[in-house]
Amino acid sequence: MNIRTATRSGGRSARRALRTAPNFEMLPGLTRVIPLCEVMDDAQVERIDAASMDILENVGVQFRDPIALEDWKKAGAKVEGELVYLDRGLVRELIATIPSDFTYHARDPKKNVRLGGKHSIFVPMTGAPFLRDLDDVRRNPLLEDLAMFHKLSHMMPALHSSAHHIVEPYDHPISQRHLRITYSSIKHSDKTFMGMTTSPKNAEDVMDMCAILFGEEFLEDHPVTTGNCNGNSPLVWDETMLGALRAFCRRNQPVLCSPFVLGGANTPASVPATVAQLNAEALSALAYTQVIRKGAPAIYGHYLSTVSMKSGAPMAGTPEISLMNFMIGQMARHYGVPWRTSNTLGGAKTFDAQAGYESATTLQAVMHAGANYIWHSAGWNEAGMHCSVAKFIVDAEQCAMAYRMAEGPKWHDFDQALAAVPDVGPGGHYLGHPHTQDNFQSAFFMPELFDNNSIEQWQTEGSVEITARALNRARALLAEYEEPKLDEAKNEALLDYIARREREIPAAYELNQSY
C-alpha cells in the first residue's frame, strides 16, 4: 500500500505510513545556539596572533608562483626570491575586507544557505581514491559511483552540499575529469556544490560552467560554489593552488585557504605552536585573496591531523585535534572571518568501532568549536583513502543529530508539556497523554540506523549490525531517488561545453596546466 492509498483509507495504518515515509527535504542551514568551547583567554589569543605575525614578518611564506610574487610586490610586501615577508599592518588591512558572512545560492533557491558567524553547513567528504561500495567491497571508483554519492548527498537532509569529487572517477582521464565531476555535482543534486581546483585551467572551467548554470552577472555578487586551496606546510603555497585561487577570487567565488597540517611532521610537536604556524599560513592566503579582489568571500581553512610517532601515519579523533579546533575557531572569530574544518574523520580500515569513536569525538569538538564550513562530514575513513557508503549514511545521520543538539533546547511548548505533569501525577506514565501523542516525533531525535530493540528482537530480525543496516538504507534511498531536473537549455549548454573542452584538453595531459 502506498502512502496516498494509506492516507485515503485512514486509521492507524495511514498514520504509520506517514510517520515512516522517507523525508528527503534538506534541513535549513544550521544556526547554532549552544555555547562555544573557548580554551584560550584573550591574552593567549593575542599571543598566538603575535607569534603568527612574527612568522609572517621574519620567517616569511614561500609563494612558488611568479604571478603571486608580482602581486605581492605591487601590494607593498617585501619579496626576496620566492619568499614573501608580510607586514602585520598589511595583513590586518587586507583581511579586514573579507566578508564575515555570506549566502550560498543553490540551483534550488529554497536550498540557499548562510555561512559565517552562527551559521554553519555540513558538506560530505571529497578526494577518496577508493570506495567501500554497496557490498562493502574496497575498490577503485567509477563515474557512476561518484553519481551515487551525489544522489545520496541530495537525499540526506543534514547535508547541505553535493561537494565535488567525493570519490575519484578512474574511468575518465585526469586532465578531463574535473568536467565530469562538476557536471555530476550539478546534475544529481540542486544543493550548492564545490568546484575543482586541481589546476588553474580546471578552476577556470568550473567557473565557466557556473556561469552557464547561473549566469555570468549572477556570479558577480552571488556565491554559488566553493574552491579549496591547500597549502604545503610548513609555509609554502604553490603555483597550482594559487592559480586556482585567483580563478575563483576573480569571479567573486569563495575559497577555502587551507594549510595541510600533520602535527609533529610539518609543524612543531606542540599544540599552541602548531596553531601559530597554521594561523600564519592561513592568514597569508586569506590576505592574498584580497590582493586579487578586495571584498571577495574567503574562508579560513585547514586540514588537521596529528602524526603517530610509532609509524608516521596521520591519526584522527585525538584530543589534540579537538584542542586545535577549539583554538582555531577562536582565531577565526578574532579576525572576523568564516572558518572551515574537517568533521567525521576516521583512520580505521573498515566501518568499525574505531571509526565510530574517532568520528564522534571530532564531530562533538567541531560543533562546540563553532565551525562554519564543516567539510568531510560523511564517508571519510582510512585517513581519507576511501569513502565508505555505510559510513556515509551513518555520518549523515550523525550530522542530523548534531544539528538538533546545536539548535539548543526548544521552549515553544514548555507550558503545554509542563501541564501534563499534574495530569499524569505520581506513578503514572506519559505515553498515552495527548501532549506526548502530538509531539513524540519531534520532541526527541529517533535515529533510523541505531538499533535500540531488545536482543531477542534483534536476533529475531536477523542480528543485523550497523554496516549492513546502513547499506540496506543506502539501497533503499537510491531506489527512491528522483533527479532534480536541470533546465534543458542549460543542460545542453553544459554538455556542449564539456564536449568542446574534452576535445581541446589532451587526455594524456595530467594536470591541464596549459589547455
Side-chain angles (χ1 to χ4, degrees):
M1 179 182 292
N2 64 36
I3 295 169
R4 292 183 181 87
T5 305
T7 304
R8 286 197 299 270
S9 66
R12 183 181 302 171
S13 61
R15 291 192 295 272
R16 183 182 301 113
L18 287 171
R19 286 199 304 271
T20 58
N23 180 11
F24 308 133
E25 185 175 347
M26 191 185 89
L27 292 168
L30 172 61
T31 301
R32 295 172 283 100
V33 301
I34 56 173
L36 297 167
C37 181
E38 300 196 324
V39 297
M40 297 187 291
D41 59 28
D42 290 345
Q44 290 165 331
V45 169
E46 293 293 344
R47 189 175 183 187
I48 294 290
D49 174 73
S52 299
M53 295 301 178
D54 284 343
I55 291 170
L56 292 174
E57 288 182 337
N58 301 313
V59 179
V61 177
Q62 195 170 53
F63 282 77
R64 296 177 179 172
D65 175 56
I67 296 174
L69 295 171
E70 285 302 312
D71 288 339
W72 276 123
K73 288 177 184 176
K74 292 174 184 175
K78 177 184 175 183
V79 179
E80 294 182 356
E82 292 184 333
L83 275 176
V84 178
Y85 298 91
L86 295 171
D87 175 80
R88 66 190 65 199
L90 176 61
V91 171
R92 295 192 201 286
E93 177 185 334
L94 289 168
I95 63 174
T97 61
I98 297 173
S100 59
D101 68 85
F102 56 85
T103 296
Y104 279 111
H105 294 262
R107 179 155 69 87
D108 178 358
K110 295 193 295 292
K111 294 175 183 175
N112 294 351
V113 285
R114 191 172 171 186
L115 191 89
K118 293 182 178 292
H119 305 286
S120 303
I121 64 172
F122 293 106
V123 181
M125 80 158 289
T126 66
F130 299 94
L131 85 156
R132 279 192 171 272
D133 63 17
L134 286 164
D135 296 314
D136 203 29
V137 174
R138 185 182 186 274
R139 61 174 174 81
N140 290 132
L142 304 174
L143 187 61
E144 64 184 14
D145 298 308
L146 177 62
M148 172 190 66
F149 280 116
H150 285 152
K151 292 172 184 178
L152 291 173
S153 301
H154 178 68
M155 300 178 80
M156 303 307 291
L159 298 182
H160 298 103
S161 170
S162 60
H164 48 25
H165 66 318
I166 296 174
V167 291
E168 286 284 347
Y170 280 84
D171 50 345
H172 283 265
I174 293 174
S175 61
Q176 300 172 358
R177 198 175 288 171
H178 63 289
L179 300 164
R180 296 292 174 176
I181 291 168
T182 303
Y183 180 67
S184 181
S185 305
I186 293 168
K187 174 182 172 65
H188 298 299
S189 176
D190 54 14
K191 299 178 180 181
T192 188
F193 56 93
M194 298 186 74
M196 299 293 290
T197 53
T198 38
S199 81
K201 292 292 185 183
N202 289 355
E204 290 170 9
D205 285 342
V206 171
M207 291 295 96
D208 289 345
M209 292 176 74
C210 288
I212 292 170
L213 183 62
F214 291 100
E216 187 69 61
E217 292 183 3
F218 192 85
L219 299 190
E220 275 296 301
D221 50 11
H222 295 85
V224 301
T225 189
T226 311
N228 178 60
C229 293
N230 282 121
N232 299 323
S233 299
L235 300 166
V236 174
W237 294 95
D238 66 35
E239 185 177 21
T240 298
M241 290 288 93
L242 292 169
L245 178 150
R246 285 191 293 270
F248 274 71
C249 289
R250 285 170 181 155
R251 306 286 268 276
N252 210 32
Q253 296 302 303
V255 178
L256 310 175
C257 300
S258 302
F260 197 91
V261 165
L262 301 171
N266 61 9
T267 71
S270 155
V271 166
T274 292
V275 172
Q277 178 190 302
L278 180 158
N279 190 56
E281 293 167 336
L283 289 175
S284 66
L286 288 166
Y288 185 55
T289 67
Q290 303 307 292
V291 172
I292 302 307
R293 179 165 176 163
K294 188 167 289 188
I299 300 169
Y300 185 135
H302 59 77
Y303 171 80
L304 287 179
S305 183
T306 52
V307 171
S308 169
M309 295 302 161
K310 295 178 182 178
S311 65
M315 298 186 291
T318 64
E320 290 77 18
I321 293 173
S322 295
L323 289 170
M324 285 190 277
N325 268 310
F326 297 143
M327 296 169 75
I328 292 162
Q330 286 187 258
M331 297 312 299
R333 288 187 290 275
H334 177 70
Y335 302 119
V337 295
W339 71 287
R340 161 256 160 147
T341 191
S342 301
N343 192 7
T344 53
L345 304 187
K349 311 309 172 280
T350 62
F351 184 31
D352 59 7
Q354 177 185 331
Y357 281 123
E358 289 170 332
S359 297
T361 298
T362 305
L363 172 60
Q364 289 300 313
V366 164
M367 298 313 296
H368 289 285
N372 302 117
Y373 197 97
I374 307 175
W375 196 8
H376 302 316
S377 283
W380 180 290
N381 218 7
E382 196 190 338
M385 289 297 292
H386 80 250
C387 183
S388 159
V389 174
K391 190 172 185 291
F392 192 96
I393 297 297
V394 178
D395 284 348
E397 185 171 82
Q398 288 287 291
C399 289
M401 295 174 73
Y403 183 107
R404 174 65 195 91
M405 177 192 72
E407 287 181 305
K410 295 183 177 179
W411 292 85
H412 65 283
D413 66 338
F414 178 68
D415 292 334
Q416 299 95 306
L418 206 60
V421 177
D423 289 348
V424 172
H429 70 78
Y430 292 82
L431 295 175
H433 191 277
H435 181 270
T436 304
Q437 294 292 307
D438 291 341
N439 293 279
F440 76 96
Q441 285 183 274
S442 58
F444 305 108
F445 193 100
M446 291 185 286
E448 295 184 21
L449 295 164
F450 289 176
D451 188 294
N452 295 295
N453 295 323
S454 67
I455 190 168
E456 292 81 10
Q457 185 174 349
W458 178 71
Q459 290 170 336
T460 299
E461 293 175 354
S463 305
V464 181
E465 295 191 352
I466 192 164
T467 297
R469 287 199 301 275
L471 293 173
N472 289 337
R473 175 66 174 151
R475 293 186 189 97
L477 285 168
L478 292 167
E480 294 273 355
Y481 173 77
E482 294 182 6
E483 183 179 315
K485 292 293 185 181
L486 271 165
D487 173 82
E488 189 56 38
K490 291 180 179 179
N491 188 51
E492 288 182 8
L494 286 167
L495 291 174
D496 287 347
Y497 181 86
I498 291 169
R500 175 173 66 80
R501 292 296 287 140
E502 286 181 341
R503 291 192 301 270
E504 293 170 349
I505 303 169
Y509 197 84
E510 291 186 0
L511 289 180
N512 183 27
Q513 297 280 26
S514 304
Y515 293 90

